[in-house]
Amino acid sequence: MPSTARGKCSRLTPVADILDAPILIQETEQLFYHGFDNYMNHAFPEDELRPVSCKPLTRDRENPHHIELNDPLGNYSLTLIDSLSTLAILASSEETFRTGLRWQKRGDRALRAFQDGVIALVELYGDGTSGKTGQGTRSRGFDLDSKVQVFETVIRGLGGLLSAHLFAVGELPIRGYNPSSLAKGQGTGSESKIKWSKSFTYDGQLLRLAHDLGRRLLPVFSTSTGIPYPRVNLRHGIPFYTNSPLNQDAAYGQCNLRQQPDGELTETCSAGSGSLLLEMTVLSRLTGDQRFELLGKRAFWAIWERRSSVGLIGSGIDAETGLWTSSYTGLGAGIDSFFEYAAKAAILLSASPFHHPTAKTKTYDLPLYFESKLEDFYHMPESYLQVWNDAHAAIRRHLYRGKMYIHPHYIQADLNTGAARAFWVDSLSAFFPGLLAITGDLDEAIETHLLFTALWTRYSALPERWSTSNGGVEGGLGWWVGRPEFIESTYHIYRATKDPWYLHIGEMVLRDIRRRCWTKCGWSGLQDVRSGELNDRMESFLLGETAKYLYLLFSPDHPLNRLDAPFVFTTEGHPLIIPRLKNPKPHQSDHQPAQARVPTRDGLYDTPLTCPAPLPDLPFSISRTAARGDVYHAANLARLHLMPSRESVDSPIVEFSSDHPSISVSDIRSPSNYTLYPWTLPLDIVPYNATCEAMMSRPTFDVTFPAQPNIVFGPGLVQRVTNGIMVNSMSGLRLGMIQDVPVYDTGSGDGDSYRIQAINNVALGKDEKIYMSKHVISSVVSPVDPNFKSVRDITMLDILIDSNDGEHMTGAKKEKSNSSSSTDDRAASDAAASNVKQAFDSFRQRLSSILHDQNPASDSHIHRDYVPAMFPTGTGAAPLPDVEDSLGPDMEGRPQGSLPWQSIYLTNENCDEKIPMSIVKEHQVIVMKRGRCSFIKKLSNVATFAPNEDTLQLVIVVSYDQEDEADLEPGQLIRPLLDSAQFTSSGLPRHNPIAMVMIGGGEHMYQTLAGATAVGIKRRYSMQAQGVPISNLIVI
């Protein structure tokens, strides 16, 4: 295997040793304690730590608009709250360490720090009661004059308090900690009193504080859209949102009578609104206050129900209007955790049905802005699972770029069309492979995780944004602030695969953090991953998430890793579960079993609710991931082969490595971004004779048309319509073609056709169409041009049928139902009609949906239907008469022009009786029923005639359900065969063969033609590029 970076490859810890993992577990604990102890010594009780200057980091009171600082920092000891669940997880450690002359369990140290942290919070903010003990030294609960972001407060503050409470009462496991043995009284769980020390008894203080914090967030939900405002003042509420219904009555609301709007932004994001329901649901279930769950779910569905027609959600949305503020979408910032919470809500709620309040239920008044209860559909876990499935399908369709783009990754796209808009990935989107692993999409998880792995290899961190197009940091956003998403995904994929590859990744991340981010007073984020400049801030999630996922990755036997219960990690890494005592067995009517069919508002359909089992190990291979054929493709996309060499591994932490347990010489010599790729794998894991897959190519080329004289290019020549682009002139037009699958793919579908991906550098979505009229094409395109050629369809055409309003298809069907036919006959004809109804609707929509108003004008009395028809094949097939194609609808959707044939004659199967000369001379169209005899026999019973424009022009055969069509999709027809030359009823060759086509629809269509006033034809044309069809170009 060729290396993709120069330098020597360091041998790492053998796989067997990593599986024991004592040294890595210990080093991860040291990483956590170095940050936590320094926070407690230098910053507590403030929110965060400045690890370079050894000072606390607090809100920027002088600059309220400094939102990147003020949004998360609420002046409520954020880092401690965010760290409590990590301490609870570390408390399960059974490893020992020496203190003086005695040995002590490391878990005991963590448990003591956990309990001390809870006690410290209670001293500062009270115990959550309304009495004297509810007043803390800093405030009563969270009665703080702090304007914070709702999303950050929920996921860090509320989630941290709830998770810590669940650990404290034993609903989440801590090895060796048995709260029931410490409890006093008859209560259990949050109702029990658990004696931790002589001076402190835990009786639910964290839960009451969480309830206090949750109540302070309720005003943000006072919007007519259900989408919460982005910010709230923990003491004063939302007086700055003057349009809120809470503030409409100045005498009783939060606004002063003379208050004027101060320009407060009402823009929030999909993640900020839709990622509240896990924490708020657990809060409701633990307290019995259902407001939080109802409002969190309402906000989630308010976002999802505003998704675009292609199934995508945007980043920015206005809480007051419910309108998207940006047309960009992707997987990262502003959107990420919405998808996460859709899937995780299905897990959390799976064994916990929602119960509507009863007479015995303690109720809390819902605000006036929440007038109606949510339907049962919005509470069912299967509904959230379906949201995830639908969202993932849209992501795969519009954002996912597969192997033909060097290596799979995701892009930024247009919200409404799915068209590509930007080509970068951000560090926040590194969560997505982990989510895919949770939902069972392992192959996609592994392949997309490889790119983030290669990027960490290159930078020894993940830059905030990285460009897939130029291979560099995007827009100068090169910082890494300790984000956990990459190691979070590594943890989840390892849990699903048990592949040691991911343990080596964890070791690399651990070593790089210790090597690059260490300071004497903690761990600093990197201002620039390329230079290693520190930013003097230790974000709370470095201890709350990053250290936690590393620890759990190296601790496969941790009780949380073996917990067989529907618990989830929040987007801040806090484990949550709905306790068993708060989860009564559901009644049959309350909840469907996990194997039930997934409900939608339109009906029921099956969706698998189980995850696939991990693939077995490959023979003679330790790592299935290392043996993947595309493992080096990610390295190629990350440009690892362009990296410079480095002569030394010097580091400023060398002088401290002898007496600081948080670092060691091994950190300095750790796997870095200058080693063999895959950097973390010992050579005995890399297959010595493995080969890589060939890079897939994606055929692309441009077709440019010359500018025509006297035509000035402008917006009128290319017009955006409902489903795509209408091209009114091809003068100076440039079309960008792409084949969406590799050239060696021989399957059907998109791989057999080109797609126009751009017009004059304007990108198009995969589902957008290009509409051109035959006249526009014929005026420019040469019939011999191989790059852009118009080809007439020799198998299909369209029959145009005019009828007066009330006598078209629907009317005909109604007339049929009033006839003397039996009920069974009517049912049979309706069934036959249903087979082609989809084809009728599809084709008609295909032509008319390019217009914003698809209904004909009210002053038009003519209804025109477009019916697909099939040409016959065989020696008896005759060409269509020499007649001009009828026109499609105009720009208002109304019929254009008249149809040429107004005289129509209907007969039966025409197998026994002959159609006389008088009928043939006086009718231009004859309609027959299919069946009982061959097509040749039907035509032979038509009298011989001398053709002219007034005589017979076309025979239309209406097909009913046939045995040979049983396996066809609705609307499909078998091409009729005329297996011999046409002849007359006397057996002589017919000198003027009759043109024939076949349509579907059975009796329904037969009656439609019976009420027709005129009939015409419209030939179908398609465009080809280099002999390959263009799938999204429609000739109208």
Side-chain angles (χ1 to χ4, degrees):
M1 276 188 170
S3 66
T4 55
R6 288 170 287 177
K8 295 183 179 180
C9 181
S10 302
R11 287 294 296 254
L12 301 185
T13 310
V15 174
D17 292 343
I18 288 184
L19 293 178
D20 294 336
I23 185 65
L24 295 178
I25 293 174
Q26 180 179 349
E27 290 180 357
T28 304
E29 289 178 346
Q30 291 168 351
L31 180 147
F32 173 82
Y33 285 123
H34 181 63
F36 181 77
D37 291 344
N38 275 289
Y39 163 75
M40 296 300 291
N41 292 332
H42 298 288
F44 181 78
E46 304 304 332
D47 285 315
E48 287 183 347
L49 168 68
R50 292 187 181 273
V52 176
S53 54
C54 301
K55 296 179 181 179
L57 179 65
T58 60
R59 294 175 56 80
D60 189 349
R61 298 286 185 183
E62 297 180 358
N63 182 12
H65 298 290
H66 189 184
I67 58 176
E68 56 271 13
L69 192 65
N70 292 335
D71 274 356
L73 305 188
N75 197 30
Y76 52 75
S77 311
L78 176 62
T79 297
L80 175 57
I81 292 176
D82 225 0
S83 300
L84 287 176
S85 62
T86 306
L87 282 167
I89 287 172
L90 266 58
S92 290
S93 175
E94 294 185 315
E95 300 296 328
T96 59
F97 69 99
R98 189 165 185 168
T99 58
L101 298 177
R102 65 188 184 90
W103 292 86
Q104 182 180 358
K105 282 187 177 181
R106 295 206 299 266
D108 293 342
R109 174 189 178 186
L111 181 60
R112 210 165 38 248
F114 170 77
Q115 294 175 339
D116 289 344
V118 174
I119 294 170
L121 284 176
V122 172
E123 290 176 351
L124 285 170
Y125 307 104
D127 63 3
T129 63
S130 58
K132 181 179 179 180
T133 56
Q135 178 65 51
T137 58
R138 172 170 279 198
S139 66
R140 176 177 288 276
F142 295 97
D143 183 24
L144 302 164
D145 188 11
S146 299
K147 182 181 177 183
V148 294
Q149 188 188 70
V150 175
F151 172 66
E152 294 288 355
T153 305
V154 167
I155 66 171
R156 300 201 202 191
L158 188 60
L161 292 169
L162 291 171
S163 184
H165 166 74
L166 291 169
F167 277 112
V169 298
E171 294 292 349
L172 290 172
I174 299 176
R175 185 182 286 124
Y177 173 67
N178 186 8
S180 61
S181 65
L182 304 174
K184 299 190 302 181
Q186 301 298 318
T188 59
S190 61
E191 301 171 356
S192 62
K193 295 182 178 182
I194 305 168
K195 190 172 183 61
W196 282 355
S197 67
K198 294 181 179 179
S199 59
F200 186 84
T201 298
Y202 185 79
D203 61 357
Q205 291 93 330
L206 294 181
L207 178 59
R208 292 193 294 272
L209 287 173
H211 197 198
D212 175 83
L213 181 59
R215 288 196 301 266
R216 297 178 186 279
L217 303 179
L218 288 177
V220 302
F221 294 93
S222 55
T223 65
S224 59
T225 62
I227 301 171
Y229 286 115
R231 293 175 180 85
V232 65
N233 186 292
L234 294 177
R235 174 174 294 166
H236 302 295
I238 56 168
F240 33 81
Y241 294 122
T242 55
N243 291 329
S244 168
L246 275 185
N247 299 325
Q248 294 303 303
D249 185 353
Y252 298 98
Q254 297 190 2
C255 294
N256 297 324
L257 289 172
R258 298 181 180 179
Q259 180 174 354
Q260 297 297 322
D262 62 355
E264 182 70 25
L265 292 176
T266 58
E267 178 184 0
T268 184
C269 61
S270 296
S273 301
S275 306
L276 310 176
L277 68 98
L278 296 184
E279 293 88 348
M280 298 186 76
T281 294
V282 171
L283 179 60
S284 284
R285 300 300 178 92
L286 293 175
T287 62
D289 187 345
Q290 291 189 334
R291 292 177 296 177
F292 306 105
E293 180 174 357
L294 292 173
L295 293 170
K297 288 178 176 177
R298 180 177 180 241
F300 176 90
W301 289 104
I303 294 295
W304 179 243
E305 291 178 349
R306 286 171 170 80
R307 65 193 182 276
S308 70
S309 60
V310 296
L312 297 172
I313 61 172
S315 174
I317 191 169
D318 191 284
E320 293 184 342
T321 66
L323 300 177
W324 299 109
T325 58
S326 171
S327 62
Y328 271 55
T329 187
L331 289 181
I335 304 175
D336 48 1
S337 54
F338 178 89
F339 305 125
E340 180 184 359
Y341 274 42
K344 290 181 177 179
I347 298 171
L348 184 71
L349 300 174
S350 60
S352 174
F354 176 82
H355 293 276
H356 293 286
T358 65
K360 297 181 180 180
T361 305
K362 182 179 180 180
T363 60
Y364 297 83
D365 292 336
L366 283 169
L368 296 176
Y369 47 78
F370 193 87
E371 297 178 353
S372 60
K373 72 174 186 178
L374 292 174
E375 301 174 13
D376 288 342
F377 171 85
Y378 297 109
H379 295 293
M380 298 180 69
E382 295 87 352
S383 301
Y384 294 92
L385 179 62
Q386 193 58 47
V387 170
W388 158 249
N389 288 334
D390 292 345
H392 184 212
I395 290 168
R396 286 281 299 185
R397 175 65 179 164
H398 301 289
L399 306 184
Y400 176 82
R401 286 193 152 191
K403 294 182 178 181
M404 71 290 299
Y405 292 89
I406 303 179
H407 187 79
H409 59 278
Y410 305 94
I411 62 170
Q412 318 305 307
D414 185 274
L415 168 65
N416 298 302
T417 66
R421 288 291 180 262
F423 306 95
W424 47 261
V425 296
D426 62 2
S427 60
L428 284 167
S429 63
F431 88 98
F432 198 65
L435 179 58
L436 292 170
I438 292 173
T439 58
D441 300 290
L442 268 181
D443 190 65
E444 185 182 350
I446 292 169
E447 67 180 9
T448 52
H449 185 267
L450 280 174
L451 177 60
F452 293 107
T453 305
L455 288 175
W456 191 288
T457 304
R458 179 174 175 181
Y459 294 106
S460 293
L462 283 186
E464 188 72 3
R465 281 189 190 176
W466 179 82
S467 171
T468 59
S469 59
N470 62 32
V473 171
E474 172 78 13
L477 306 181
W479 56 80
W480 182 74
V481 294
R483 292 200 188 279
E485 285 76 15
F486 174 58
I487 194 62
E488 172 190 357
S489 286
T490 304
Y491 162 73
H492 286 303
I493 298 176
Y494 176 70
R495 295 290 302 156
T497 64
K498 299 298 188 292
D499 191 327
W501 168 283
Y502 300 99
L503 296 175
H504 285 291
I505 291 176
E507 181 185 18
M508 177 201 64
V509 171
L510 174 63
R511 299 270 189 254
D512 281 340
I513 293 174
R514 288 159 65 97
R515 175 171 60 88
R516 305 192 74 192
C517 303
W518 184 91
T519 73
K520 289 187 293 184
C521 294
W523 305 99
S524 175
L526 300 173
Q527 187 61 33
D528 193 314
V529 297
R530 296 162 295 186
S531 66
E533 177 188 356
L534 302 179
N535 67 3
D536 198 19
R537 180 178 181 182
M538 187 177 75
E539 294 263 13
S540 68
F541 49 69
L542 181 71
L543 304 180
E545 292 186 83
T546 307
K548 177 184 297 163
Y549 284 121
L550 280 170
Y551 183 83
L552 289 172
L553 173 66
F554 299 136
S555 307
D557 294 327
H558 192 281
L560 202 61
N561 284 333
R562 295 183 173 275
L563 181 60
D564 185 14
F567 81 97
V568 296
F569 290 95
T570 70
T571 195
E572 189 69 11
H574 296 301
L576 290 181
I577 192 171
I578 296 176
R580 294 179 296 275
L581 294 177
K582 303 299 180 181
N583 177 26
K585 292 183 179 180
H587 297 289
Q588 186 69 25
S589 60
D590 288 333
H591 185 61
Q592 298 295 323
Q595 289 75 25
R597 305 178 76 189
V598 175
T600 68
R601 307 206 73 183
D602 300 323
L604 292 168
Y605 56 97
D606 292 324
T607 298
L609 299 180
T610 57
C611 294
L615 295 173
D617 292 336
L618 294 174
F620 311 109
S621 174
I622 297 176
S623 168
R624 174 175 281 274
T625 303
R628 287 177 63 99
D630 62 347
V631 69
Y632 280 86
H633 298 182
N636 185 289
L637 182 58
R639 279 72 163 184
L640 290 183
H641 56 287
L642 301 179
M643 292 171 53
S645 61
R646 186 178 65 173
E647 301 302 326
S648 68
V649 290
D650 292 339
S651 170
I653 66 176
V654 173
E655 59 182 293
F656 299 101
S657 62
S658 61
D659 58 354
H660 280 74
S662 60
I663 57 171
S664 65
V665 175
S666 64
D667 296 312
I668 305 169
R669 296 174 181 171
S670 69
S672 69
N673 51 349
Y674 298 99
T675 60
L676 182 74
Y677 180 85
W679 66 106
T680 55
L681 292 182
L683 293 180
D684 56 2
I685 291 185
V686 180
Y688 75 95
N689 61 347
T691 57
C692 293
E693 297 174 358
M695 288 285 185
M696 297 181 180
S697 63
R698 61 183 195 281
T700 61
F701 67 95
D702 289 349
V703 177
T704 303
F705 299 93
Q708 295 177 318
N710 302 322
I711 294 182
V712 179
F713 186 82
L717 302 185
V718 178
Q719 176 184 359
R720 179 167 289 281
V721 290
T722 303
N723 289 335
I725 301 292
M726 169 73 82
V727 176
N728 298 317
S729 172
M730 300 181 70
S731 176
L733 195 68
R734 184 170 70 255
L735 303 178
M737 303 286 187
I738 187 172
Q739 203 166 11
D740 282 327
V741 299
V743 292
Y744 55 76
D745 189 301
T746 58
S748 61
D750 290 345
D752 297 330
S753 61
Y754 280 105
R755 175 175 61 87
I756 299 176
Q757 65 171 341
I759 295 183
N760 293 344
N761 293 329
V762 176
L764 302 177
K766 288 185 177 180
D767 294 333
E768 287 193 280
K769 307 296 184 183
I770 309 299
Y771 300 95
M772 298 182 185
S773 70
K774 186 176 66 171
H775 171 73
V776 167
I777 294 174
S778 61
S779 64
V780 175
V781 176
S782 168
V784 296
D785 185 352
N787 289 321
F788 200 77
K789 184 178 181 180
S790 176
V791 179
R792 194 177 78 176
D793 193 331
I794 62 173
T795 62
M796 295 287 292
L797 77 159
D798 296 297
I799 301 297
L800 281 63
I801 304 173
D802 276 357
S803 58
N804 292 324
D805 279 351
E807 296 181 6
H808 49 82
M809 292 185 184
T810 303
K813 187 173 181 180
K814 185 181 297 184
E815 177 185 340
K816 175 67 179 173
S817 68
N818 291 330
S819 68
S820 60
S821 299
S822 68
T823 303
D824 292 340
D825 290 339
R826 290 198 301 271
S829 64
D830 289 348
S834 67
N835 285 339
V836 294
K837 184 178 185 300
Q838 183 175 357
F840 300 153
D841 295 341
S842 175
F843 182 71
R844 185 177 172 194
Q845 181 181 8
R846 181 177 168 191
L847 291 176
S848 61
S849 66
I850 63 173
L851 310 167
H852 292 285
D853 182 5
Q854 297 186 11
N855 297 319
S858 59
D859 59 351
S860 173
H861 299 289
I862 299 298
H863 177 88
R864 179 166 296 174
D865 290 302
Y866 303 85
V867 182
M870 186 74 72
F871 284 115
T873 186
T875 57
L880 290 173
D882 187 14
V883 62
E884 287 286 335
D885 280 355
S886 300
L887 299 175
D890 64 12
M891 295 301 293
E892 299 298 328
R894 294 174 299 217
Q896 291 192 99
S898 59
L899 302 183
W901 304 323
Q902 285 83 35
S903 54
I904 304 161
Y905 178 81
L906 277 75
T907 182
N908 52 24
E909 289 86 355
N910 203 49
C911 293
D912 302 321
E913 299 180 0
K914 296 178 177 61
I915 298 179
M917 178 73 69
S918 59
I919 298 296
V920 175
K921 286 186 175 181
E922 296 175 359
H923 295 85
Q924 297 160 308
V925 177
I926 293 179
V927 179
M928 302 179 183
K929 295 181 179 180
R930 182 184 177 188
R932 291 189 56 216
C933 61
S934 68
F935 296 109
I936 286 292
K937 177 64 174 177
K938 296 177 187 291
L939 296 179
S940 70
N941 286 330
V942 178
T944 303
F945 64 99
N948 60 57
E949 62 181 13
D950 296 321
T951 59
L952 177 63
Q953 303 291 313
L954 181 67
V955 169
I956 300 177
V957 176
V958 179
S959 176
Y960 290 67
D961 285 342
Q962 303 288 327
E963 291 183 2
D964 55 1
E965 296 179 355
D967 296 331
L968 298 180
E969 295 292 330
Q972 290 184 334
L973 294 172
I974 291 179
R975 193 173 182 186
L977 173 64
L978 303 184
D979 54 0
S980 67
Q982 294 187 29
F983 54 88
T984 66
S985 59
S986 58
L988 298 175
R990 188 182 291 275
H991 296 295
N992 299 298
I994 302 171
M996 186 202 90
V997 297
M998 186 170 73
I999 63 176
E1003 188 65 21
H1004 179 83
M1005 182 53 60
Y1006 188 80
Q1007 293 298 327
T1008 298
L1009 286 164
T1013 59
V1015 171
I1017 60 172
K1018 191 172 186 300
R1019 298 168 179 86
R1020 290 189 179 186
Y1021 295 86
S1022 64
M1023 301 304 298
Q1024 293 184 355
Q1026 299 178 349
V1028 178
I1030 303 173
S1031 62
N1032 63 335
L1033 196 157
I1034 308 299
V1035 180
I1036 61 174

